Structures are given as C-alpha cells and as structure tokens.
Amino acid sequence: MNENRSSFTGKIGFVLAAAGSAVGLGNIWRFPYLAAKYGGGIFLLVYLVLALTFGFALMITEIAIGRKTGLSAIGAYKKLDKRFSFAGYLAAIVPIIILPYYSVIGGWVTKYLAVFVSGQGKAAADGDYFGDFIGGVGEPIFWYFLFIGVTAIVVLFGVQKGVEKVSKIMMPILVVLTLGISIYTITLPGAWEGVLYYITPNFENFSATTVLAAMGQLFYSMSLSMGIMITYGSYMKKDVSIEKSVKQIEIFDTGIAFFAGLMIVPAVFVFGGGDNMEKNGAGLMFEVLPKIFDTIPGGSVLGGAFFILVLFAALTSSISLMETVVSFLGDKLKIGRKLSCLVVFIFCVLLGLPSSLGFGIWSHIAPLGMSFLNFFDFISNSVLMPIVAFITCIFIGFIIKPKSVIDEVEIGGAFKRKRLFAVMIKYIAPICIILILISSVLDAFGIMKI
Ligand code: PHE
C-alpha cells in the first residue's frame, strides 16, 4: 500500500475495500466445491457457525490491531510485543503460497471467458472438456501467465485504484447474476434433491475434516490470518465502527458464497445424479457452469458476462495478495518497488507451474496424495492459517488481553458482542483450532483415520 498511510474516506470506503479483497474465487470457485465434497448442509452449517463466532472474533481482532498500531502485520505484532513479531512473518508467508495457485485458477477463469466470448460455450459443456484443458501443458500455462501478468502490471504501475473502481460497479452485478443463475438452477428438473443436500445438515457426514475444511475456507474467504485485514485496519479511521463493518463484510462475503453454492451444488444432481459427492474437486465450477449455460437460450452471452465478472472479483483479490507480498519483500530486502514486483512475479510464475502441471504431465507426483494445487491449498489454508490464528488468539487472549482490542473497537462505537468476543478469542477458538489442526494433519499424513 502507499507509504504515507492514507485513510479510507467515509464509512463505506473501508467496507467496500475489504469486501473487494474478501470476495473472490474463494466464494465462487472454492466454497461450492467444498460444500459439495464435505457433505452439503453439514458443511454449510459448520461454516455459518464458524463465521459468526471464529470469523467474527478474528476479523475484529485483525482490524483492531491494524488500526491501533497503524501498521501492517509484521510491524503491528512487533509494536505490540517484540516476542511476537514471528507471528507477523508467519502471516506474511501465507499470501506467498496462495498467490501462485490462485493465479492458476485465475487463468482457468480467463480461458473460460475467452471460450464463451468466442462462442464456444457449447463445447465447454462437454464432460471431458475441462479435464482435457487442465491436463494439457501449454494452454493452461498460457492463461495462467496472462492472469499473473495482468496482476503484476496493475501492481507495478500502482493502478489498483482504477481496478477497484471498476470492480465496485462489477461486484453488485456479479451478485445479481449469481442470484439469478442460482434461482434458475433450482428450477431445473432434478435440482431439488441437490438443494436439499446443500441446505439440510446430515450429521452422518460430520467429521473433524469437515470442520477443518470449513475453518480453512473461512480464513481464505475472509482474507484472514494472512495480515491483509491488519493492513486494511491500519487505514481505517477511528470513528468508524469496527463491529458494524465486520458484520457487513461477513454478510456480503457469506451471502455471495451461499448463492454461488446454490448455483453450483444442485446442478451436480441435475447433470450427474449426485452420486459420489465427495469426489467433487477443484474443477467443479468449470465443469458445471457451462452445462447450465448450455440449457439457457443465449447462454453463451450470459456465460461470457458471468466469467468476466468472476475475473474481476479474482483480480481484485490477486492484486491485494500480490501487493502484500511486494510491499513485504520491498521492506525486508530494502529493494525498490519495481524490483520487488519483478522478484515476486518470477517467484510466482515458478511456484505456480507445478500447480498447473499437476493435473497433467506431473499428475504422478502427489505430495500427501494430493495434486500440487490441492497440496499448496492444504498447506496454506489447513495448516499455516490455523497456526497463525491460534497464535493470534493466544497473543490477544493472554498477552495483550482482549481488553486492548475491545478498547480499540469501542473508540468507534459500542461493542455489543464483546463478551462473546473475549470468550471466543481466549478459550473456545484456540482450543478448537488446535484440536482440529492436530487431528486433520494426522489424517492427512495417514497416521490416524478420523
Ligand atoms: N478472500 C479471497 C477470496 O475469497 C482470497 C484472498 C485471500 C484474497 C487473501 C486476498 C487475500 O477469493
């Protein structure tokens, strides 16, 4: 972000900027496939409960720390307590891992935009289309380079503001379109069974992995545990209510995810019968949406419109990810912005390659039995982020005490749920995080089946 910390103008400025970072592929690509895979309604329920408790407490904390110190993650932790500056570094590693594979998915979105715009949407509705595409070498890499290239150019020239402006117009349209398509999906024959799967919790599908997946998704979707909200908080004016803002961001972010799920999950039942739901993976949105558009007259145009909106949502997120990494590196290595941008770009290009090739010629290499993309996703969302969140809870709960956050929040207005906040951050969140983290990591390494 810029050197002299400018403030967000007005009350809505902060919410919009934070929502721009929060709403992205996490909501539209990641949430629906996780919901399909991890038991539908039970995943949704766990996610909602976590959003209202963990998510609420953590987002309040990060924004408050940022506003209190006026610094981004590393500086903020250091200023509050030198011994905890490592937490800032740990948080800074997360976007470095996410950005490359996020760009691979961004590349897929760009490709699908091109497909629909060039009138080939019908071909994409074919069952093998997506698999053939990501199984290739040159093509997915081309689109991936394009996506990360555009992101890098925006960050290099510091024209985020322009992109943000456009996306402020695009985002509401995306919401309307997602809503419209989800209503259409549920009217398709056979969709009702899928709707029920998506909204009714089936406790037989409950496991520690469900909770971990929901927790990882929560961090990811709300841009938590990676220092981003701390940075945003540092730009927030003192008279803005943190609690209200968090509420608005949560409603917005969760609302879009919910409707994206409603648009995609029931469609799996319409087109595939809904057997073996746990087999659904990262490709779900790309496999299902073209099929939906194919059943709509003029669906090709609608598909093009949809993918361009998703592309913008993805770009605002990838830009905020890259910006964080670039300014972090620039500060640490004391190199200029241009050089830092170049270094990050090259690094990302290289680290993203395995994620792209992992669905094709490198599919035989499977760290922890996962594809490269899923592996990086697992390390950041299911391992690093919970660790950062755990450290944050301990730090706030026992070192600087919840009161310091509560005081900061109360500067800008009443803090209605401060008791919930204090209990969450001190006891419930850290205990749950650690239990879930241990059991799921053991599970991933095949040591213990849960
Ligand atoms: N929250 C974004 C999404 O849902 C991803 C993201 C994470 C963006 C962290 C920026 C920072 O897609």
Side-chain angles (χ1 to χ4, degrees), residues 201-214:
N202 176 355
F203 287 89
E204 273 171 26
N205 294 337
F206 183 85
S207 71
T209 346
T210 314
V211 185
L212 186 84

Side-chain angles (χ1 to χ4, degrees), residues 21-27 102 220-223 226 228 317 320-321:
S21 164
V23 176
L25 294 175
N27 308 61
Y102 198 85
Y220 188 90
S221 187
M222 298 199 178
S223 309
M226 52 183 109
I228 290 197
S317 296
S320 84
L321 281 166

Side-chain angles (χ1 to χ4, degrees), residues 178-240:
T178 307
L179 211 73
I181 302 172
S182 60
I183 293 171
Y184 173 77
T185 303
I186 61 179
T187 62
L188 290 171
W192 196 243
E193 205 190 330
V195 174
L196 290 181
Y197 174 77
Y198 181 53
I199 58 172
T200 8
N202 176 355
F203 287 89
E204 273 171 26
N205 294 337
F206 183 85
S207 71
T209 346
T210 314
V211 185
L212 186 84
M215 195 164 76
Q217 171 61 16
L218 181 73
F219 297 143
Y220 188 90
S221 187
M222 298 199 178
S223 309
L224 292 172
S225 292
M226 52 183 109
I228 290 197
M229 287 297 155
I230 300 185
T231 309
Y232 276 141
S234 70
Y235 296 116
M236 191 190 207
K237 287 201 176 136
K238 291 278 184 196
D239 61 350
V240 177

